[in-house]
Every structure is written in structure tokens, then in C-alpha cells.
Amino acid sequence: MNLYEVGIYMNCNRLPSLTFFAILNNQKIIVMKKFSFIVFAVIGSQLFAQEGMVVPFDSDRWSFKGDAFTLHKEEGSSIMEFTGGDVTAYLKDADFTDGVITYEIKIKEERTFLGCAFRMQDLENYESFYVRPHQSGNPDATQYTPVYNDLSAWQLYHGEGYASVVNYQFNEWIPVKIIISGSRAEVYFNDSLEPGLHMPYLQRKVTSGMIGLWGGSGKLKNFAYIKKPIVSLKSEPKPVENPHSAVITDWFVYTDLFSEEQTEDLLNRANGNKWQAMKSDAFGRLNLAKKLRLSENQNTALVKYTLDSKSDTFKKLSFGFSDRVVIYVNGKRIYSGNNTFRSRDYRFLGSIGYFDSVFLPLKKGGNEIIFAVSESFGGWGLMAKLD
């Protein structure tokens, strides 16, 4: 009898566990007991598609965007190496919703990004997780962000649930395992039994899509995935309290974009038919890329809120924005601010929060408050609450 296939079966309903098996002439023989680390490896031509799928990087299933990469072999393994440009490798036929994605990375101690995209609707809309080698040991050594209309939003989604501390081993192979279930996910490093990053608030709609790998530099090998509903994860999301009544959740967004220099001119010509309702998320963040598509020459959106006042008065507004904003009350400019990455010093990230405030000059009756929000990169958004 010829030994022609070896694999590891992954049971995602009882994560983490696996059983090593061999197949001799189509008869499965259990040859080892269960272990605690999830891997899937196959030798031979037949793959266990129902349980898991290994996809070598020289497989014709991979499609590529960009050309700054090489494919080669190292010690018998198929290696994909990104060599300094922005490259995305993706599986059009993955049809992946929930399950497990595994691969190994080798990174250097340099500023770069290396990540995985999942539930990809196309090359501009997906969930994204990535490592940041240059931030090893810092609270943002890893990062999760949704991508809408080709715009990453790490300035909007930061802190617990979106980033975490990881100490990387450089120039060594690091196993990475991503477990995705509904609106939650976890990332494990180096065969650890505890997640290195909890992602309890995946932002995009739960739907199937492609799987991709992307980055500026670094090596990857041993890519595999399994499509299977996950019964439970180790991490539990914290309850999201309903936003306080002072948090503005219902906005109107003008569907035409324009350059920052056109702001005041457009305010006078804004067509009422082009205002569309848009709600913020459970934390009060309004991600404008969900509805609007940024371009180099048209990077500014108008966002409107109407506030009724019982008298002529002033009212404090606390807000956050990315990247720049101009605020108008009843057509008069009262505030402008710049929150762009590194605009204040080289460590300034431009992360969004209720960090700024202004007193609104209100008249009795309805008051139209308009925010002109301009974006460069890293997240296009707004949040505001009335004290």
C-alpha cells in the first residue's frame, strides 16, 4: 500500500483541536492523538475540500494586483515575498464567510504592513487585519479596520478591539491564525492558545467573499483556510450601550463631493435633493466612506445636522473628525481644525474621538449645523455630541 496523502483534520466546533491522520488506499487511519494547535497540511494531489484547503502560492487560483513580489521555493515550501510595493494576492473563488485562515509570516524590523483581507466583495471593499513590525511591543502592533471604497479607516477604529500589543520575532517564521465568526474574530500568533487580538466589532455586513493577502514587504508561506461555522470564540464582546441622547446619531450627507477650496461656494448651491440620511454606528462614529467615494480632486463632504433651540443661546458641542473640518452654523463659519496624521508632531496619529469642542451660537427655532469634512488618508469620519 502506498502512503499518498497526509493531513490534519480541524474541528472548528471544538477549537482548538486537531487529529493527525494518514490515508492508505482511501482508508483513513488515525495515527496520532489530538493536539492543541490548528494546522492543515496535505501531501499529494487530492485535497480535503470539505474540511480545509491548502493553496500553495504557485497555484493558478491566486490572482495578483501589483507586481512587487516574487514566488519561489525555500526548503520545499512555496513562498510569496512582497518586495516593497503595495501588492494584493487574492482567491476569487474562496467564497469565505466564517471559518479559519492560517499562514506564516517572516518580517524584518522595519516600517511596513503585512496583512490579510477577508470577506472581500472586490479589491476595494473588505475586512482587513495586519501586523505592523515597526510598532512591535506597542499598543498598535496589530490593527483591524474595515475598508470601504478603497479607504482604510484605522483612525476611526483604534484601541481595544481594533489593535493590540504583540512582540514580534524578526527574521523567523511566525504562524498566524485568524478565526472569523459572524461579527467577531480573533487572531493567534506563534501557536498560542490565547488570542493576540480580539476583534469583537467587525464593521462590515456579514457576507461571503474572497480572501486576500497584502503588504509592502515580508514573506508568507503555508497558506490554508477552512470554511466552517464557528460555534464559539474565546473572547466575548463588551455590551455596547445605547449612545447617550446627547450623541448625534442621525445625519444627512450631501452626495456630491468637492475640493476643500470649494466649500463655501457649494454651501450656497447645495441641492436639497442630494442630501441623504446616514446613521452613525453604535459608538457614534460616522464613517463617510461607507456612502461616499474619495478622489484626489474631490476630498470633502458636507454633513448636516439640524438642532432646535427654545431660545437664542450657546450650546457646547464636543466632536472628533478625520482629517480636517470646517463647521458652519446657519451659514456662518465658526470653527476649522486639522487632525491630519503627523500634523501636530511626528507621533500624532489623528485618531478620532471627542477631543475638540466649540460653543454653537444658536437662534430660537431650527439651526442648521454643517460640517465640511476633508480627508487625506487613514479614515474619513465624524462624531459629535451635545453637552
Side-chain angles (χ1 to χ4, degrees):
M1 292 188 298
N2 296 320
L3 177 63
Y4 70 88
E5 186 164 321
V6 178
I8 296 177
Y9 170 76
M10 184 191 309
N11 185 339
C12 292
N13 290 331
R14 296 189 300 275
L15 288 174
S17 67
L18 55 83
T19 300
F20 184 80
F21 61 80
I23 289 185
L24 302 176
N25 290 348
N26 295 321
Q27 299 297 315
K28 183 185 292 187
I29 302 174
I30 304 297
V31 296
M32 292 184 69
K33 64 181 181 179
K34 292 186 177 181
F35 294 89
S36 60
F37 170 53
I38 296 175
V39 176
F40 189 87
V42 174
I43 302 174
S45 60
Q46 182 180 352
L47 297 175
F48 288 87
Q50 292 183 350
E51 300 299 345
M53 183 66 72
V54 174
V55 189
F57 291 122
D58 54 6
S59 167
D60 59 8
R61 289 185 60 194
W62 290 100
S63 298
F64 296 92
K65 175 187 176 184
D67 57 6
F69 69 95
T70 61
L71 300 177
H72 56 276
K73 295 280 189 179
E74 289 185 12
E75 298 180 349
S77 295
S78 173
I79 304 295
M80 178 165 59
E81 181 174 2
F82 295 153
T83 55
D86 293 328
V87 177
T88 301
Y90 56 101
L91 299 172
K92 289 184 179 180
D93 59 353
D95 192 29
F96 180 90
T97 305
D98 289 342
V100 182
I101 301 169
T102 62
Y103 53 93
E104 293 182 58
I105 60 173
K106 182 182 283 189
I107 51 179
K108 298 178 181 179
E109 192 173 2
E110 61 182 1
R111 188 179 188 277
T112 191
F113 308 91
L114 194 62
C116 178
F118 54 94
R119 295 177 180 168
M120 298 173 67
Q121 302 308 293
D122 51 45
L123 296 184
E124 298 183 347
N125 293 276
Y126 49 87
E127 304 279 22
S128 180
F129 155 78
Y130 52 98
V131 300
R132 308 175 72 207
H134 53 294
Q135 296 296 344
S136 179
N138 291 333
D140 52 357
T142 65
Q143 182 72 52
Y144 155 71
T145 181
V147 176
Y148 294 93
N149 288 318
D150 204 26
L151 186 61
S152 174
W154 54 268
Q155 290 175 322
L156 277 59
Y157 306 98
H158 54 88
E160 185 179 359
Y162 306 101
S164 66
V165 177
V166 175
N167 291 289
Y168 299 116
Q169 297 82 43
F170 299 111
N171 302 306
E172 297 180 12
W173 286 109
I174 303 172
V176 179
K177 176 177 63 182
I178 309 172
I179 305 176
I180 300 115
S181 177
S183 60
R184 300 160 55 201
E186 295 172 343
V187 181
Y188 294 77
F189 297 95
N190 291 317
D191 308 347
S192 173
L193 298 181
E194 295 299 323
L197 173 63
H198 303 267
M199 298 182 283
Y201 312 110
L202 297 180
Q203 296 294 310
R204 294 186 57 87
K205 180 181 179 182
V206 177
T207 186
S208 65
M210 303 181 290
I211 300 175
L213 298 167
W214 63 271
S217 65
K219 294 182 179 182
L220 302 101
K221 72 175 183 177
N222 292 341
F223 175 87
Y225 69 97
I226 182 171
K227 298 189 293 184
K228 197 167 187 177
I230 306 299
V231 174
S232 63
L233 296 179
K234 287 201 170 188
S235 56
E236 292 291 337
K238 295 180 179 179
V240 180
E241 299 179 0
N242 292 327
H244 189 274
S245 58
V247 175
I248 300 176
T249 57
D250 296 288
W251 302 86
F252 284 90
V253 176
Y254 197 64
T255 55
D256 283 353
L257 299 181
F258 50 95
S259 66
E260 293 178 71
E261 294 76 16
Q262 295 176 305
T263 304
E264 296 190 12
D265 179 56
L266 191 66
L267 282 174
N268 299 323
R269 297 185 291 107
N271 187 326
N273 295 329
K274 293 186 176 182
W275 289 100
Q276 292 187 2
M278 187 174 181
K279 292 185 71 71
S280 64
D281 66 15
F283 296 92
R285 294 170 299 216
L286 190 73
N287 186 345
L288 294 171
K290 291 182 178 181
K291 187 177 287 289
L292 305 172
R293 182 180 179 82
L294 186 73
S295 69
E296 183 177 354
N297 298 322
Q298 294 181 314
N299 67 335
T300 301
L302 296 182
V303 184
K304 181 170 67 173
Y305 178 73
T306 300
L307 177 61
D308 290 325
S309 178
K310 295 181 181 179
S311 62
D312 293 347
T313 187
F314 288 88
K315 193 167 188 66
K316 184 180 180 181
L317 178 79
S318 298
F319 59 96
F321 58 94
S322 177
D323 285 317
R324 296 170 298 282
V325 73
V326 180
I327 301 177
Y328 301 84
V329 177
N330 298 322
K332 295 182 179 180
R333 179 197 293 231
I334 65 163
Y335 177 91
S336 67
N338 185 353
N339 202 28
T340 306
F341 176 67
R342 291 185 174 175
S343 60
R344 304 183 188 185
D345 63 50
Y346 73 95
R347 296 161 297 185
F348 183 69
L349 298 177
S351 303
I352 197 171
Y354 296 113
F355 304 140
D356 295 88
S357 61
V358 67
F359 285 88
L360 304 174
L362 303 178
K363 66 180 182 180
K364 183 178 180 180
N367 294 265
E368 187 177 72
I369 306 169
I370 291 181
F371 300 77
V373 188
S374 302
E375 168 66 358
S376 294
F377 84 106
W380 192 13
L382 177 70
M383 58 196 308
K385 64 179 181 179
L386 294 159
D387 292 346

